[in-house]
Amino acid sequence: MKELWTTMASLMGVLAFCQTLLHTVIPPELRFAFLKLFQRLFTCFSSYCYYEITEIDGVNTNELYNAVQLYLSSSASSAATTSNRLSLTRGLNSSVITFGLANNDRLSDVFNGVPVVWEHIVTPRQSQTFSWRPLPEEKRGFTLRINKRDKPRILEDYLDFITEKANEIRRKNQDRLLYTNSRGGSLDSRGHPWESVPFKHPSTFETLAMDPVKKKLIMSDLKDFADGQAFYRRTGRAWKRGYLLYGPPGTGKSSMIAAMANFLVYDIYDLELTEVNTNSELRKLLMKTSSKSIIVIEDIDCSITLTNRKKNNGAGGRNNDFVPDVRSSPGGVTPVDLRDPEINGSNNNSITLSGLLNFTDGLWSCCGSERIFVFTTNHIEKLDPALLRSGRMDMHVFMSYCSFPSVKILLKNYLGCDDGDVGEGVLEELAAVIDEAEMTPADISEVLIKNRRDNERALRELLVALRSRAEKNRRLRMEAEVEEVAEEEKRALDSPKEVGGVATGGGGDDVEVNYKKGVDGEEDNGIN
């Protein structure tokens, strides 16, 4: 045994001496050329192609490396039961732990029936010279092995598939963010005009108190939008869509926005128009939003004053050229005429209607892709018709009072009651009174929350509240009808009378327009 160890030591010494002799006698250039020749010979006789994807490309991070790392994490998780060495990671703003290849480990994959092999290569980096950006101590990269005959068939498609899959994994793993524009247009420490917090709203379409048919239509429209990149490119349209949510307060407009974000896995940008001073600042905010996001302007009728252009279109030709603008003044916000030479050309003090329209449907709105604009309002009749047309607000969604299907959703959410858990008599009473009561989901939810520990009491108090509200609404309608009859009689007495076929008064007949609650007279493709 001792002789064997002596022989091995002697051989190692001889090899070390030969290696030193070769390094001394053979110049480095010749050794490098010999190594290259050996690699070429090996490549010629090998049936595989090898592709290296390093972590650092020069001084920049290789995005393809990050994409491969995310993609292989999903493959590694499925192989977790068969592999003994896997790395575990959790990214920034992520609550999901992902698997990954350990150092110098391999993983097999199949794409379109073609097998490939990935290897994670990690080697110590040689001592660095002076650099403006210090590099990591280890050199990391992935090596992809593909059969030569399969290379033309799958390489490009495979890499595109990996990039798309990685983006999908990144969106699912990352916590969604809720952004708001900085006060007064100021920038944060990174020079961004948006401030963000994690978005944790639990609302989903399943828990949303809304008619199931409407929800299905909205979900189908959102799905078609998210999957419609090829369609929008083929038709030459910007990849964006606009939604207008309108209806009484408490009908779930904010919950609808949260459900849309959770359904599509999008971030939300809550734009506060009162903190935006000029149209150019509005455009800068738009440019700093990311793709796959929902840009929200809530209560558009209350945030700033935008003059309705129809009110300014008089019979004269000059009035038809009126372009409304909004200017700040000590007494409030006042519409001005841009035709005035004293103020024309100084349009930089506030947001104009034109600036808001360009924000949603102009050239600047195309600086990005896969974005949804959502406006909310309690009074749709106060909005300028230019904001409502297709292309800006493509779908109008009326958030109505609670219907019978909506009440059943709320009973399931707050009390855990399915159809079989509530008596037929109670359901019939609810169905008979709910439409006339005109209660919002917020009002009904409050009744259920207070009595969520006692289902019978909750149902009893809900019926009492609905009957009380229905009775109140009947009384108000009767009073309104009496007042309307009195007004008509008064107008009949005060109207000009014809004597002998000649009118004693002048002018034409008065026309009264009645706007009824919950009726939308617009011609659009909305959901009413």
Side-chain angles (χ1 to χ4, degrees):
M1 190 69 178
K2 183 176 181 180
E3 294 177 355
L4 179 61
W5 283 108
T6 304
T7 304
M8 291 180 62
S10 302
L11 288 175
M12 292 178 63
V14 170
L15 290 174
F17 174 76
C18 292
Q19 184 179 7
T20 304
L21 181 63
L22 288 174
H23 279 254
T24 304
V25 176
I26 302 176
E29 294 81 4
L30 186 59
R31 294 200 307 270
F32 180 76
F34 178 77
L35 181 61
K36 280 291 185 183
L37 179 61
F38 177 78
Q39 289 178 347
R40 288 184 180 180
L41 289 175
F42 177 78
T43 303
C44 291
F45 290 102
S46 175
S47 58
Y48 295 101
C49 294
Y50 295 85
Y51 299 93
E52 292 186 1
I53 303 174
T54 58
E55 181 182 15
I56 305 296
D57 182 16
V59 295
N60 298 319
T61 302
N62 190 352
E63 292 297 330
L64 186 57
Y65 174 88
N66 295 331
V68 171
Q69 191 175 38
L70 278 175
Y71 169 73
L72 293 181
S73 68
S74 61
S75 301
S77 62
S78 61
T81 56
T82 59
S83 179
N84 294 327
R85 295 185 61 200
L86 291 174
S87 63
L88 298 175
T89 57
R90 184 169 67 182
L92 183 66
N93 292 329
S94 176
S95 56
V96 179
I97 297 176
T98 58
F99 294 89
L101 279 179
N103 296 349
N104 303 314
D105 203 358
R106 293 187 179 187
L107 181 68
S108 299
D109 191 24
V110 178
F111 178 72
N112 291 342
V114 176
V116 299
V117 175
W118 288 96
E119 185 174 5
H120 192 205
I121 305 297
V122 180
T123 56
R125 192 180 298 274
Q126 296 180 354
S127 59
Q128 304 177 34
T129 57
F130 175 77
S131 175
W132 290 107
R133 179 186 177 184
L135 298 176
E137 296 180 357
E138 293 179 331
K139 183 179 180 181
R140 299 174 177 270
F142 288 102
T143 299
L144 172 62
R145 190 185 75 181
I146 303 178
N147 199 301
K148 286 182 178 180
R149 66 174 181 271
D150 298 325
K151 168 194 167 184
R153 199 154 53 96
I154 72 160
L155 181 59
E156 292 186 4
D157 293 340
Y158 185 43
L159 294 179
D160 291 340
F161 171 77
I162 288 174
T163 303
E164 181 179 350
K165 191 72 174 178
N167 291 334
E168 181 181 345
I169 295 172
R170 187 180 292 111
R171 288 199 308 272
K172 288 183 178 179
N173 292 349
Q174 219 172 35
D175 288 342
R176 285 172 294 286
L177 298 177
L178 173 62
Y179 294 87
T180 184
N181 48 310
S182 303
R183 184 176 181 83
S186 59
L187 304 179
D188 63 8
S189 58
R190 298 173 299 170
H192 293 173
W194 295 97
E195 300 173 353
S196 65
V197 295
F199 180 70
K200 301 291 186 180
H201 202 293
S203 176
T204 63
F205 278 105
E206 184 179 0
T207 61
L208 192 64
M210 189 179 186
D211 182 70
V213 177
K214 284 186 180 181
K215 287 199 290 188
K216 187 175 181 180
L217 288 174
I218 296 171
M219 293 169 66
S220 177
D221 188 77
L222 291 171
K223 187 71 166 58
D224 290 341
F225 170 78
D227 298 336
Q229 181 178 14
F231 168 78
Y232 282 91
R233 183 177 299 173
R234 185 177 70 252
T235 56
R237 291 172 60 93
W239 195 7
K240 64 181 182 63
R241 193 153 179 80
Y243 290 82
L244 176 68
L245 310 182
Y246 67 99
T251 51
K253 293 183 283 293
S254 297
S255 297
M256 166 66 80
I257 295 171
M260 293 169 67
N262 289 328
F263 179 71
L264 295 175
V265 198
Y266 283 6
D267 292 335
I268 294 180
Y269 289 85
D270 185 13
L271 178 60
E272 181 57 57
L273 286 180
T274 56
E275 297 295 337
V276 184
N277 298 320
T278 63
N279 291 337
S280 60
E281 188 177 321
L282 187 63
R283 288 194 296 268
K284 291 176 182 178
L285 285 170
L286 179 64
M287 292 174 63
K288 291 296 183 179
T289 59
S290 62
S291 299
K292 298 184 183 298
S293 60
I294 300 176
I295 302 172
V296 179
I297 301 180
E298 293 196 274
D299 297 323
I300 182 63
D301 57 305
C302 301
S303 55
I304 58 174
T305 301
L306 297 174
T307 305
N308 191 325
R309 294 181 297 181
K310 281 188 175 182
K311 296 179 181 178
N312 300 290
N313 289 339
R318 188 174 186 272
N319 288 337
N320 291 333
D321 295 331
F322 179 80
V323 181
D325 192 9
V326 178
R327 294 302 166 90
S328 300
S329 63
V333 182
T334 307
V336 297
D337 191 346
L338 292 182
R339 293 172 293 118
D340 191 338
E342 295 183 1
I343 61 175
N344 192 17
S346 61
N347 182 23
N348 59 353
N349 293 330
S350 62
I351 303 174
T352 64
L353 176 62
S354 175
L356 187 59
L357 297 180
N358 288 330
F359 176 81
T360 57
D361 192 32
L363 292 176
W364 289 99
S365 68
C366 306
C367 299
S369 61
E370 201 170 350
R371 287 188 297 202
I372 292 176
F373 293 86
V374 179
F375 285 7
T376 70
T377 179
N378 297 333
H379 306 283
I380 190 174
E381 69 278 0
K382 293 183 179 181
L383 300 184
D384 193 292
L387 279 171
L388 306 179
R389 73 166 180 80
S390 297
R392 291 180 180 129
M393 296 296 110
D394 302 291
M395 180 173 283
H396 297 187
V397 182
F398 177 55
M399 307 295 292
S400 62
Y401 293 107
C402 247
S403 61
F404 182 58
S406 303
V407 170
K408 291 199 292 185
I409 294 174
L410 292 176
L411 292 178
K412 183 177 181 180
N413 291 344
Y414 293 101
L415 305 182
C417 295
D418 292 319
D419 291 344
D421 300 328
V422 183
E424 289 293 332
V426 176
L427 290 177
E428 290 176 0
E429 290 186 60
L430 287 174
V433 75
I434 185 65
D435 291 333
E436 194 174 9
E438 293 184 345
M439 287 184 68
T440 65
D443 294 333
I444 294 179
S445 298
E446 185 59 29
V447 176
L448 298 178
I449 289 174
K450 290 189 300 184
N451 303 280
R452 63 184 181 275
R453 294 181 179 85
D454 189 342
N455 290 3
E456 293 184 1
R457 181 179 177 182
L459 292 171
R460 187 167 58 251
E461 291 202 7
L462 177 59
L463 281 173
V464 170
L466 290 172
R467 291 171 186 148
S468 175
R469 185 68 64 88
E471 180 63 29
K472 179 180 178 181
N473 290 339
R474 282 195 294 267
R475 186 171 63 254
L476 291 176
R477 279 193 292 269
M478 291 178 60
E479 293 176 357
E481 290 176 0
V482 171
E483 291 180 1
E484 186 177 355
V485 171
E487 286 291 332
E488 290 180 357
E489 292 177 352
K490 183 179 179 180
R491 282 196 300 271
L493 293 174
D494 295 341
S495 61
K497 299 180 180 180
E498 295 184 359
V499 179
V502 180
T504 59
D509 296 336
D510 294 333
V511 179
E512 180 181 4
V513 180
N514 295 322
Y515 294 96
K516 297 188 180 296
K517 179 170 53 178
V519 178
D520 178 25
E522 297 182 46
E523 295 181 0
D524 55 37
N525 62 339
I527 300 177
N528 296 317

